Amino acid sequence: MQRRLFIKKSAAAVSFLGLGFTGINAINSPYKIQNTTMNSFKLNYAPHLGMFKNHAGDDPINQLNFMADQGFRAFEDNNMKNRSIKTQEKIAKTMLDRGMKMGVFVAHTIYWNEPTLTTGKIDIRDTFLKEIKESVEVAKRINARWITVVPGFVDLSLNMDFQTQNVIETLKHASAILEPHELTMVLEPLNFRNHAGMFLSRSPQAYQICKAVNSPSCKILFDIYHQQIQEGNLIPNIDSCWDEIAYLQIGDNPGRKEPTTGEINYNNIFKLIHSKGYKGILGMEHGNSIDGIEGELKVIEAYKISDNF
């Protein structure tokens, strides 16, 4: 994170990546990049706040401008709902000015160690639905179309089929709230290694639930990192779930860093997604494999390589 240590290395790396003189200027905070030659990505990859903070500084607007200058046409922020209305409005204006799309934000409180939607308890359902209603207002403010939903922990006192039905019923109620606003909650299956005990873990399970809810407001968030750990067989499973997938997220395995750092062949996966005519967003929900400016340049280069199909 100590930027001065990377100045000489990063200046050479900037030239190599084609970021030009303005990219070198970015080494000196605050953010100064303007008129940068954009990369031409085939898909809508969405960075998050903090991914390029060594170039752009801590200000979220400067970070968004840096993303746009590098050719990224989308942005996601899990924590958007917790940001001030003023910050939300500034982010929305900047995205509009720069022609960027808003990706997901987390729609509700996620309980990582206790059952929630799986229980079927009315008070828990009501609390969840209240948070969904609150998220509608945030989505309107920032021009978002997708919100992330995680059904929560398994209820060991209930048969899995009963839990599934409880989740389906709650999601039907949530869909009724979202449909008039043309918003979509995307259900995210999580892997057993990082999130042991979560109810939703497999893409076929998410597919079955979405079919049962039967609403344009309830679809799948296919996180490629999670599903590589949980089930592998990525391309066939993406194919099988395709008509219920509304959003994808990215992270290589092991390590949950940028593409090219692990075992996943993102070049082939992105090629498949592009071939299907996907116009949605792919959230870059991963860390940087190297700290500092050098690591941020490596992330940009990784997406140029993986998008080259």
Side-chain angles (χ1 to χ4, degrees):
M1 292 297 185
Q2 297 181 21
R3 292 175 293 159
R4 292 187 181 89
L5 299 179
F6 294 110
I7 288 177
K8 291 183 179 179
K9 288 184 179 180
S10 58
V14 166
S15 177
F16 174 73
L17 291 175
L19 298 180
F21 178 73
T22 53
I24 296 174
N25 284 346
I27 294 168
N28 302 309
S29 292
Y31 169 75
K32 296 180 181 179
I33 289 183
Q34 294 178 4
N35 301 320
T36 304
T37 300
M38 286 188 179
N39 299 303
S40 181
F41 295 118
K42 298 181 181 74
L43 293 167
N44 295 321
Y45 308 113
H48 55 80
L49 293 181
M51 182 165 275
F52 300 115
K53 66 180 181 180
N54 289 282
H55 275 91
D58 292 328
D59 184 82
I61 304 307
N62 288 344
Q63 292 187 43
L64 279 170
N65 280 315
F66 180 83
M67 294 171 196
D69 283 347
Q70 308 318 306
F72 294 108
R73 303 189 299 268
F75 161 73
E76 72 172 21
D77 182 16
N78 284 339
N79 197 42
M80 179 65 78
K81 191 173 180 180
N82 296 322
R83 301 192 189 281
S84 69
I85 291 177
K86 182 179 179 181
T87 298
Q88 292 172 4
E89 290 174 341
K90 288 173 66 177
I91 287 174
K93 182 180 185 303
T94 302
M95 287 191 295
L96 184 64
D97 291 344
R98 299 307 305 266
M100 299 178 77
K101 296 181 179 180
M102 182 65 209
V104 292
F105 64 92
V106 175
H108 63 105
T109 304
I110 300 175
Y111 294 92
W112 299 103
N113 298 300
E114 59 184 278
T116 49
L117 304 189
T118 54
T119 66
K121 294 180 179 178
I122 299 302
D123 59 334
I124 293 176
R125 176 180 296 176
D126 288 346
T127 298
F128 170 76
L129 295 176
K130 177 178 179 290
E131 292 187 288
I132 292 296
K133 290 176 182 176
E134 293 168 353
S135 293
V136 169
E137 298 309 309
V138 177
K140 289 179 180 178
R141 194 174 298 126
I142 60 173
N143 300 313
R145 292 179 53 196
W146 306 276
I147 58 176
T148 302
V149 166
V150 176
F153 209 70
V154 295
D155 187 337
L156 296 177
S157 69
L158 284 177
N159 180 281
M160 195 67 169
D161 292 336
F162 292 134
Q163 294 182 67
T164 299
Q165 189 58 36
N166 290 336
V167 170
I168 289 168
E169 288 301 316
T170 297
L171 296 179
K172 285 181 177 180
H173 286 287
S175 295
I177 294 169
L178 296 171
E179 284 177 10
H181 305 284
E182 298 184 342
L183 297 174
T184 301
M185 58 183 164
V186 284
L187 313 181
E188 183 176 12
L190 302 171
N191 78 76
F192 70 93
R193 188 178 68 195
N194 298 124
H195 302 290
M198 298 304 282
F199 166 78
L200 188 61
S201 62
R202 298 171 290 107
S203 61
Q205 178 191 15
Y207 186 83
Q208 182 181 35
I209 290 171
C210 287
K211 287 298 183 187
V213 175
N214 191 29
S215 168
S217 288
C218 183
K219 297 295 179 181
I220 297 172
L221 190 171
F222 194 104
D223 188 309
I224 298 165
Y225 165 76
H226 283 303
Q227 294 317 303
Q228 170 67 2
I229 295 170
Q230 186 67 32
E231 59 195 17
N233 205 33
L234 290 169
I235 288 176
N237 283 334
I238 290 172
D239 262 330
S240 296
C241 292
W242 188 253
D243 62 315
E244 294 293 340
I245 293 174
Y247 199 96
L248 296 104
Q249 285 182 325
I250 303 161
D252 216 335
N253 180 60
R256 201 171 190 176
K257 306 301 183 184
E258 69 271 12
T260 74
T261 58
E263 65 186 358
I264 301 176
N265 188 335
Y266 268 105
N267 192 265
N268 280 347
I269 292 173
F270 291 160
K271 182 179 180 180
L272 168 75
I273 293 167
H274 184 264
S275 73
K276 291 180 175 294
Y278 182 69
K279 303 300 183 184
I281 292 175
L282 296 94
M284 296 160 59
E285 197 181 42
H286 58 74
N288 299 358
S289 62
I290 300 174
D291 290 340
I293 285 177
E294 186 179 15
E296 294 173 3
L297 296 175
K298 187 174 183 293
V299 168
I300 297 168
E301 181 67 8
Y303 278 88
K304 290 171 65 178
I305 292 170
S306 300
D307 189 71
N308 185 24
F309 48 80

